[in-house]
Amino acid sequence: MSVPTESGRNRPWGTGFNSDFEWNRLNPDAYFRKNYLIPHRNDLVFLAKVRDFFGEVLGWRRGLHGVDVGAGANLYPALAMLPFCDRLTLLDYSEANLAWLRRETQAYTGTWDPFWAVLDEAPAYAALTRPRLELRERSRVEFGSVFRLPGGHWDLGTLFFVAESISSSTAEFRLAVQGFLGALKPGAPFAAAFMENSRGWKVGQDAFPAVAVTASDVAAAVAGAENLEICRLDAGPNPVRAGYTGMILVCGQKAQART
Ligand SMILES: C[S@@+](CC[C@H](N)C(=O)[O-])C[C@H]1O[C@@H](n2cnc3c(N)ncnc32)[C@H](O)[C@@H]1O
């Protein structure tokens, strides 16, 4: 199957640059139902790893400004930053996703309770007794592109299934990771997740692109960051998102500025 581009040329589905796709067509409710309505084991494993990493690096630090870039219809990266942040910015490039995020952050549904239950096992999270209310009060939803973020702006950040899933260009994959890391302050902790060997993804009839990355591509893209931990999980027998071989998580800290 091929789809026409704005320039009128045809391309195979799942291929194209970020600007070739109509991100406003992405249906957040369908995406959410497909990916998060029933928690996937791999997401919960990643969430526990991010919890432990942020807990270890940040301890009882509070009052940070966090960012989730390309947040889409997923709240668990934002929840993983919540105890440490008094401001949380959720950025996305799709107006449809921004509307979903504005609604969902007001009083998130019970779907996110199993995700919070994983976080709640660690003291920093357990100390936050009203996460629904805290998310509403601390979060702001804003339009933004990973390719045009301000430099050195945020204290803590997440980038989940974005850099490899918004273009089929390897150059844009690297630029997205660089844009994300560039937007963090020196020393800022971060977590980023990637689909492994994805060839593109669909929500309903709408097809979106991907770059087929492996753990070594991810390691190369974040080279220069510090305190890195990379984890890879197999897709397993019933992958929630078809057409990939596994999921990769990298946690780390942006390199400290040289003096
Ligand atoms: C595969 S979804 C991932 C959504 C969510 N982070 C998750 O974990 O499920 C990719 C997201 O990237 C967003 N996106 C597309 N182009 C973008 C851009 N240039 N900058 C930031 N986000 C973008 C899409 O709107 C979508 O929400």
Side-chain angles (χ1 to χ4, degrees):
M1 179 183 142
S2 62
V3 284
T5 62
E6 276 173 16
S7 61
R9 282 181 291 121
N10 278 358
R11 55 182 161 75
W13 85 268
T15 65
F17 291 103
N18 185 245
S19 57
D20 288 329
F21 291 81
E22 282 187 55
W23 293 99
N24 291 336
R25 286 182 64 94
L26 215 176
N27 180 333
D29 294 310
Y31 180 89
F32 163 77
R33 277 196 302 276
K34 186 174 173 186
N35 292 297
Y36 300 116
L37 189 57
I38 299 170
H40 190 271
R41 184 186 163 275
N42 285 358
D43 286 311
L44 298 179
V45 172
F46 277 4
L47 186 57
K49 289 192 177 292
V50 176
R51 170 198 72 197
D52 292 345
F53 183 81
F54 286 167
E56 193 181 305
V57 169
L58 293 169
W60 291 98
R61 274 184 70 191
R62 297 292 177 268
L64 303 181
H65 187 183
V67 66
D68 183 28
V69 178
N74 181 9
L75 288 191
Y76 83 72
L79 291 174
M81 292 187 278
L82 189 57
F84 311 103
C85 297
D86 62 7
R87 284 177 299 161
L88 257 176
T89 302
L90 280 65
L91 292 181
D92 205 277
Y93 197 56
S94 153
E95 293 294 345
N97 278 343
L98 295 174
W100 186 95
L101 283 162
R102 287 194 183 105
R103 197 181 63 230
E104 193 69 10
T105 51
Q106 283 306 297
Y108 64 76
T109 60
T111 302
W112 302 105
D113 289 343
F115 293 88
W116 183 261
V118 169
L119 296 169
D120 200 38
E121 288 173 26
Y125 298 86
L128 210 67
T129 51
R130 297 174 304 167
R132 253 183 199 83
L133 184 68
E134 301 299 349
L135 185 72
R136 182 173 78 201
E137 291 186 346
R138 299 179 194 192
S139 62
R140 281 178 63 130
V141 175
E142 289 176 13
F143 178 84
S145 170
V146 69
F147 301 118
R148 285 185 291 279
L149 297 175
H153 191 69
W154 284 282
D155 304 305
L156 177 63
T158 50
L159 180 78
F160 269 60
F161 312 116
V162 174
E164 84 297 358
S165 294
I166 57 171
S167 165
S168 64
S169 152
T170 305
E172 284 196 322
F173 159 71
R174 293 197 194 109
L175 278 175
V177 176
Q178 281 165 21
F180 169 67
L181 290 177
L184 302 178
K185 291 181 183 164
F190 66 86
F194 307 83
M195 306 306 289
E196 181 190 65
N197 287 320
S198 173
R199 303 273 166 197
W201 46 290
K202 280 187 177 171
V203 178
Q205 294 304 307
D206 295 308
F208 295 96
V211 182
V213 297
T214 63
S216 58
D217 297 318
V218 169
V222 298
E226 294 168 353
N227 199 13
L228 288 168
E229 292 179 11
I230 297 191
C231 165
R232 179 202 170 270
L233 298 173
D234 257 337
N238 294 310
V240 68
R241 309 162 180 99
Y244 70 103
T245 56
M247 287 162 58
I248 302 157
L249 174 74
V250 58
C251 295
Q253 289 178 265
K254 181 171 170 173
Q256 293 287 348
R258 308 234 178 273
T259 49

